[in-house]
């Protein structure tokens, strides 16, 4: 069985290891194939799909059009994975090389276009697993200190050189903001990707957040979730004194190194600690707090604690905080969120807010302490960010990067495992791009301030 650092789902492990009797596996594969082909025949109304497997070629929808998706099945386990795991099964089949496809992005778009008529792909088994995982995440999903540390290690401690192979120079692992200078959110599609575009867009994003936080020279800023130091260093260069916290020692080391290189070590203090472990001297000490794409890791049961912590850390008057997060639109948001590809293979135990759930939770947790000043949706900026990461990953995932991965993670010394790991990331870049491009997923930025804290003199 191959490993992708993140442990596979139990269902995937069983299918990959072929632990069941061969005749039973054959029956499962045949059943899955029959059910999926029947569902596609009846439910694929938009677009066209041609599937080729060992039994022949099968056409669905409008296969005379110009945007037909071609899918070739290499392993009949493909059918079983989808039957028992639905959408996670497609991702796992891609990771394991059970199929290849002419255009992964168009395959995922095809599913979104037809998802209401392809409900037959879900069945009792996959529905029960989804229901159980959603209930477990909601009921038991408290992020203990130990769980939080383990989840960060899985998500961010792969190796610094690995993340450097696809991130921009400052290593912001979050959505960039694209401007006219880079051709906007479609600049790479219309005019091609140019060197320096991603770096410029990430700097725009950093300074946008710091502007919203209203920080000025001499202010004290708390950053929850250091990343690799880009925000902290930028704030320090503006003249702020920054305390930044992370649970990743890899990120701490990089942040301290970058602060030293930029000559701001005296204004950047990096701590390895959880937001629930802040020192007592932090009480009402900060002019602003920023947290970029971190709150998803807090978990629904701990969000009230998180916001009470912000209230405790911020000054009682004229303070602000800015948070950004991937979110679900209101029409499909629920506090019950089942395991999915992103949650299982990239950001363990994460839970997405909705645009309104954040201000509602704040009002319930610390009533009257903050007002919502601004809410933005940066979702249209994420697809290009993901495309840029994917291009860099494809170009740079080799040589020293791979050698270090194999040294640090012995399970990746197998060529099969390394290929699965690489496909996991390629799938994520496209999977997320499609979700944001279709507004199936949002990327919101919330700005909150203490009451009666005007942004500029106006009278």
């Amino acid at each position: 069985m191959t490993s992708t650092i993140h442990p596979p789902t139990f269902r995937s492990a069983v299918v990959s290891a072929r632990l069941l009797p061969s005749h039973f596996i054959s029956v499962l594969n045949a059943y899955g194939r029959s059910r999926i082909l029947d569902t596609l025949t009846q439910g694929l109304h938009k677009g066209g799909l041609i599937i080729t497997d060992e039994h022949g070629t099968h056409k669905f929808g409008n296969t005379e059009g110009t945007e037909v998706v071609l899918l070739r099945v290499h392993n009949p386990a493909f059918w079983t994975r989808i039957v028992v795991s639905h959408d996670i099964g497609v991702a796992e089949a891609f990771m394991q090389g059970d199929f290849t496809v002419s255009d992964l992005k168009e395959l995922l778009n095809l599913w979104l276009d037809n998802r209401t008529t392809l409900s037959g792909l879900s069945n009792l088994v996959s529905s029960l697993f989804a229901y159980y995982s959603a209930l477990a995440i909601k009921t038991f999903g408290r992020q203990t200190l130990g769980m939080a540390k383990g989840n960060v290690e899985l998500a961010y401690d792969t190796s610094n050189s690995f993340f450097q192979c696809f991130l921009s120079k400052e290593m912001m692992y979050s959505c960039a903001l694209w401007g006219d200078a880079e051709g906007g959110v479609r600049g790479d599609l219309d005019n091609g990707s140019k060197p320096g575009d991603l770096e410029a867009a990430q700097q725009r994003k950093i300074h946008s957040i710091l502007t919203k936080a209203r920080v000025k020279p001499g202010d004290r800023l708390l950053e929850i979730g250091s990343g690799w130091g880009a925000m902290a260093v930028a704030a320090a260069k503006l003249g702020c004194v920054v305390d930044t916290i992370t649970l990743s020692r890899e990120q701490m080391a990089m942040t301290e190194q970058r602060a030293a290189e930029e000559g701001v070590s005296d204004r950047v203090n990096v701590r390895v600690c959880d937001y629930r472990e802040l020192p007592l001297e932090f009480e009402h000490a900060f002019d602003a707090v920023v947290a970029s794409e971190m709150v998803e890791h807090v978990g629904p049961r701990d969000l009230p604690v998180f916001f009470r912590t912000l209230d405790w850390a911020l000054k009682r008057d004229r303070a602000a905080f800015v948070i950004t997060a991937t979110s679900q639109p209101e029409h499909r948001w629920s506090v019950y969120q089942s395991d999915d590809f992103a949650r299982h293979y990239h950001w363990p135990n994460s839970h997405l807010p909705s645009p309104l759930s954040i201000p509602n939770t704040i009002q319930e947790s610390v009533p009257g302490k903050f007002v919502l000043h601004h809410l933005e949706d940066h979702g249209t900026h994420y697809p290009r960010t993901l495309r840029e990461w994917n291009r860099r990953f494809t170009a740079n995932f080799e040589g020293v990067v791979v050698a270090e991965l194999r040294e640090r993670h012995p399970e990746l010394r197998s060529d099969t495992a390394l290929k699965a790991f690489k496909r996991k990331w390629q799938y994520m870049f496209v999977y997320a791009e499609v979700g944001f491009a279709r507004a199936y997923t949002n990327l919101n930025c919330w700005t909150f301030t203490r009451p009666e804290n005007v942004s500029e003199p106006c009278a």
Side-chain angles (χ1 to χ4, degrees):
M1 180 176 65
T2 62
S3 170
T4 54
I5 299 180
H6 294 73
T9 61
F10 172 75
R11 291 156 285 170
S12 178
V14 169
V15 173
S16 296
R18 300 181 65 85
L19 297 177
L20 301 174
S22 58
H23 68 278
F24 187 65
I25 292 174
S26 297
V27 170
L28 273 179
N29 291 340
Y31 167 75
R33 179 177 181 276
S34 175
R35 183 182 182 94
I36 291 167
L37 294 182
D38 285 348
T39 300
L40 290 171
T41 299
Q42 298 172 25
L44 196 90
H45 298 159
K46 299 177 182 177
L49 173 65
I50 299 177
I51 296 179
T52 301
D53 68 355
E54 60 185 342
H55 300 290
T57 298
H58 318 274
K59 298 182 178 182
F60 309 95
N62 178 18
T63 57
E64 303 302 321
T66 58
E67 297 183 358
V68 177
V69 176
L70 309 177
L71 187 152
R72 179 174 291 275
V73 178
H74 304 294
N75 185 340
F78 166 82
W79 309 109
T80 298
R81 291 187 196 278
I82 296 176
V83 165
V84 300
S85 299
H86 201 202
D87 53 341
I88 300 183
V90 176
E92 291 172 334
F94 183 83
M95 289 159 56
Q96 297 302 325
D98 292 344
F99 76 96
T100 51
V101 64
S102 58
D103 190 324
L104 180 59
K105 185 189 301 186
E106 290 309 313
L107 178 67
L108 297 177
N109 274 319
L110 201 63
W111 179 81
L112 282 178
D113 287 338
N114 294 276
R115 62 189 182 275
T116 57
T117 53
L118 290 177
S119 57
L121 291 177
S122 180
N123 57 71
L124 180 61
V125 174
S126 61
S127 297
L128 283 175
F129 275 113
Y131 176 80
Y132 169 77
S133 66
L135 185 64
I137 290 170
K138 170 63 171 66
T139 306
F140 307 111
R142 185 177 294 278
Q143 290 275 35
T144 65
L145 294 176
M147 288 172 58
K149 184 176 185 297
N151 290 337
V152 165
E153 289 174 350
L154 276 173
Y156 303 109
D157 277 356
T158 307
S159 85
N160 283 343
S161 66
F162 170 72
F163 285 100
Q164 284 175 312
C165 91
F166 67 87
L167 296 178
S168 48
K169 184 178 179 180
E170 81 300 313
M171 291 184 71
M172 282 296 286
Y173 189 25
S174 57
C175 180
L177 291 182
W178 303 95
D180 291 341
E182 302 86 46
V185 296
R186 284 183 49 87
D188 61 322
L189 300 178
D190 295 336
N191 305 306
S193 177
K194 298 187 292 295
D197 278 357
L198 181 57
E199 283 75 11
Q202 289 291 16
Q203 288 299 322
R204 183 180 293 105
K205 180 259 187 67
I206 290 169
H207 289 286
S208 171
I209 290 177
L210 293 176
T211 299
K212 288 179 171 62
R214 306 181 188 180
V215 292
K216 58 187 183 299
D219 279 356
R220 194 169 178 190
L221 173 69
L222 173 62
E223 180 187 28
I224 303 180
S226 305
W228 286 272
M231 187 78 68
V233 168
K237 291 172 76 172
L238 289 175
C240 298
V241 177
V242 184
D243 287 273
T244 181
I245 66 171
T246 178
L247 291 175
S248 165
R249 293 197 175 274
E250 293 272 331
Q251 293 184 341
M252 179 192 73
M254 179 69 78
T255 300
E256 290 180 336
Q257 176 187 332
R258 293 193 160 183
E261 291 172 348
E262 295 292 334
V264 293
S265 292
D266 59 328
R267 294 197 295 277
V268 175
N269 181 31
V270 191
R271 296 174 185 263
V272 175
C273 74
D274 190 89
Y275 67 89
R276 292 161 288 190
E277 301 176 305
L278 298 178
L280 293 177
E281 61 265 27
F282 277 17
E283 183 174 8
H284 300 308
F286 293 93
D287 298 282
V289 175
V290 295
S292 182
E293 296 187 38
M294 169 272 166
V295 76
E296 303 96 318
H297 299 289
V298 171
R301 296 185 64 187
D302 288 307
L303 273 176
V305 176
F306 179 77
F307 292 121
R308 285 195 289 269
T309 299
L310 298 194
D311 178 45
W312 171 86
L314 283 165
K315 293 178 179 178
R316 291 186 174 92
D317 185 42
R318 302 193 65 76
F321 71 89
V322 182
I323 57 177
T324 67
T326 298
S327 67
Q328 292 181 347
E330 304 296 340
H331 75 278
R332 68 182 195 88
W333 181 82
S334 170
V335 71
Y336 293 95
Q337 297 179 17
S338 62
D339 202 17
D340 61 14
F341 166 71
R343 187 171 289 115
H344 189 91
Y345 284 103
H346 287 275
W347 300 281
N349 209 32
S350 59
H351 189 277
L352 303 186
S354 75
L356 295 181
S357 72
I358 291 293
N360 289 342
T361 302
I362 290 173
Q363 183 60 21
E364 292 167 2
S365 306
V366 283
K369 297 297 183 70
F370 296 103
V371 295
L372 175 62
H373 174 70
H374 203 233
L375 171 61
E376 292 181 348
D377 184 1
H378 297 161
T380 57
H381 292 261
Y382 229 145
R384 182 175 178 184
T385 304
L386 289 153
R387 290 193 298 269
E388 297 282 358
W389 289 347
N390 198 1
R391 292 185 189 103
R392 294 178 181 218
F393 177 81
T394 300
N396 299 324
F397 188 77
E398 59 185 8
V400 174
V401 174
V402 171
E404 182 179 339
L405 275 176
R406 286 179 149 170
E407 177 65 27
R408 295 182 54 142
H409 305 283
E411 62 270 39
L412 295 181
R413 292 173 187 172
S414 154
D415 288 343
T416 301
L418 185 69
K419 289 177 181 177
F421 176 83
K422 182 178 182 180
R423 284 191 291 258
K424 179 188 79 166
W425 283 89
Q426 291 172 325
Y427 190 91
M428 186 276 286
F429 293 132
V430 177
Y431 169 90
E433 178 192 347
V434 170
F436 286 109
R438 299 287 297 269
Y440 187 76
T441 309
N442 300 327
L443 191 285
N444 289 117
C445 178
W446 297 261
T447 303
F448 293 87
T449 73
R450 291 298 193 188
E452 299 179 13
N453 181 11
V454 296
S455 57
E456 58 182 340
C458 53

